[in-house]
Amino acid sequence: MKVKVVTKILEANERIARENRRLFDNAALFVINLMSGPGAGKTSILEKTLTLKTGLRIGVIEGDIAGSDDAERIEKHGAPVVQINTGGACHLDANMIHEVLQDLPLQDLDLLFIENVGNLVCPAEFKVGEDIKVMVLSIAEGHDKPLKYPLMFQESSALLLNKIDLAPYLDVDINKIKKDALSLNPGLKIFEISCKTGEGLSAWTDWLKEKALRS
Amino acid sequence: MHELSIAQNVLEIVSEQCTRSGHTKIDSVNLRIGRASGIMPDALIFAFDAIKSDSIARDAVLNIEEIPVTGLCNDCSHSFIVQEEYILNCPACKGSSFQIRSGRELDIIDMEVS
Ligand SMILES: [Zn+2]
């Protein structure tokens, strides 16, 4: 016989994401799901964000397929950090986040970064309970990315165009990236930044402060 | 990878619903998967077949209906199907500002049990 199911496949994940959301709200914590392809510079951006005097108490969850190098880099800056190894999975899901929340001093933080596994395809599908998604794209990745991964651009609140110092050496059309990203998501906030020269980083942290302290 | 976690979710949901409806065997499962969901149907079927053997879905066939990506133009309100892998412009006015209206589905619709 036929049985109607009519369920979102990710319903279980979304239920746990809502539970995470409740814990974050109880701690008045603003949470950012930081996403990018491999090598776009997410960890460097977090390190820079931690060294700039934002006055924000920042915690980090590091998601990687394996290893703890990124968490060690964050720990050097004195921020509470937890490492999650996904054991092959190409994204973090709500349950992985739920399991480590007890290891972070949520009540003592203003802002929590969840650094997702480097992958442009699927992290956007798996909500983890975040307030917003922020996407990092290194300009070295080329200008076809927005139209190739529209979901990621549509779901993000901000886009960090990283490694902007490389622009003179690359055959990349930064205006095309910005134009395509904005046509997919007119509300997208775009920051052109360089972790090497420091360009654009204070605009980014000013925006972060405004977002985190309003929550 | 991605398809494996989706397949695990599908298997859990259908197994639970089958048991709850008082049945012991799943014969087929019908899914609706959007082309912009990041899921490759063949890889999902492969993953499902790999994990179903010890479950009440061991003989189940996974049927996938692929949902095209449709856009709605913000400039001229033309509704269109995105044919290419890349999304370029509204076919009517060539505008580049549009919303994606479908193509992100990841849904289980129904199943055949016995
Ligand atoms: Zn149009």
Side-chain angles (χ1 to χ4, degrees):
Chain A
M1 66 170 279
K2 185 161 266 187
V3 175
K4 286 272 170 210
V5 183
V6 199
T7 307
K8 286 182 186 303
I9 295 172
L10 296 178
E11 177 52 32
N13 185 71
E14 284 170 24
R15 201 174 54 240
I16 300 168
R18 287 193 291 273
E19 173 61 16
N20 291 348
R21 178 73 260 153
R22 198 181 58 76
L23 294 172
F24 298 146
D25 283 342
N26 285 346
L29 181 59
F30 191 76
V31 181
I32 295 181
N33 186 355
L34 190 65
M35 310 183 299
S36 79
K42 291 190 300 296
T43 310
S44 298
I45 289 170
L46 288 182
E47 286 187 282
K48 284 288 175 190
T49 304
L50 289 168
T51 55
L52 291 167
K53 298 279 173 262
T54 59
L56 294 170
R57 298 168 298 172
I58 301 176
V60 178
I61 295 176
E62 277 288 342
D64 285 292
I65 288 176
S68 61
D69 298 357
D70 289 350
E72 282 159 23
R73 282 168 63 185
I74 297 298
E75 202 162 35
K76 287 196 183 115
H77 298 277
V81 56
V82 180
Q83 175 78 50
I84 297 176
N85 286 328
T86 62
C90 48
H91 54 268
L92 292 169
D93 65 31
N95 196 46
M96 297 177 199
I97 299 299
H98 195 75
E99 306 250 298
V100 301
L101 288 183
Q102 64 203 27
D103 299 326
L104 284 167
L106 298 185
Q107 299 290 343
D108 301 331
L109 298 174
D110 303 308
L111 174 61
L112 176 65
F113 280 105
I114 297 174
E115 183 182 330
N116 220 309
V117 179
N119 171 358
L120 277 175
V121 183
C122 55
E125 296 289 349
F126 289 81
K127 297 187 179 73
V128 293
E130 70 273 30
D131 289 275
I132 59 170
K133 296 181 168 74
V134 169
M135 179 179 173
V136 181
L137 185 73
S138 133
I139 61 164
E141 292 174 75
H143 48 234
D144 63 339
K145 287 295 182 294
L147 300 178
K148 214 169 177 179
Y149 303 104
L151 179 58
M152 196 71 111
F153 287 84
Q154 287 202 313
E155 301 254 306
S156 296
S157 299
L159 168 64
L160 302 178
L161 276 179
N162 193 22
K163 307 189 187 176
I164 204 81
D165 55 291
L166 295 178
Y169 315 105
L170 296 170
D171 185 21
V172 62
D173 184 346
I174 293 169
N175 285 327
K176 178 167 168 53
I177 298 178
K178 296 203 292 193
K179 178 176 162 285
D180 288 345
L182 285 171
S183 78
L184 288 166
N185 180 354
L188 187 69
K189 181 81 186 160
I190 300 179
F191 298 94
E192 296 178 30
I193 64 167
S194 164
C195 289
K196 202 166 166 199
T197 66
E199 184 182 343
L201 287 170
S202 60
W204 153 245
T205 53
D206 285 348
W207 185 81
L208 271 184
K209 269 187 275 189
E210 191 198 315
K211 286 274 173 197
L213 296 177
R214 205 198 293 157
S215 74
Chain B
M1 294 255 299
H2 193 186
E3 280 79 4
L4 182 57
S5 27
I6 298 292
Q8 279 161 342
N9 278 287
V10 171
L11 186 60
E12 270 170 42
I13 294 167
V14 296
S15 300
E16 195 212 310
Q17 295 235 4
C18 176
T19 309
R20 208 195 301 161
S21 71
H23 294 86
T24 53
K25 186 167 170 289
I26 301 173
D27 301 310
S28 65
V29 178
N30 295 312
L31 307 183
R32 205 169 275 166
I33 305 287
R35 286 188 196 272
S37 67
I39 290 292
M40 294 183 13
D42 289 349
L44 180 56
I45 290 169
F46 182 83
F48 185 79
D49 288 347
I51 60 172
K52 71 184 183 184
S53 55
D54 290 330
S55 74
I56 56 176
R58 78 183 71 83
D59 297 320
V61 176
L62 201 58
N63 301 309
I64 296 179
E65 181 193 353
E66 286 191 76
I67 306 297
V69 184
T70 57
L72 177 69
C73 179
N74 287 332
D75 297 328
C76 75
S77 300
H78 179 62
S79 173
F80 56 96
I81 291 179
V82 178
Q83 303 284 7
E84 317 281 329
E85 185 196 347
Y86 296 2
I87 299 162
L88 300 166
N89 299 94
C90 165
C93 74
K94 307 293 171 204
S96 62
S97 167
F98 54 86
Q99 307 156 37
I100 295 178
R101 300 305 293 271
S102 74
R104 291 161 53 169
E105 295 77 3
L106 278 177
D107 299 329
I108 305 173
I109 304 306
D110 54 29
M111 60 184 173
E112 203 61 54
V113 296
S114 55

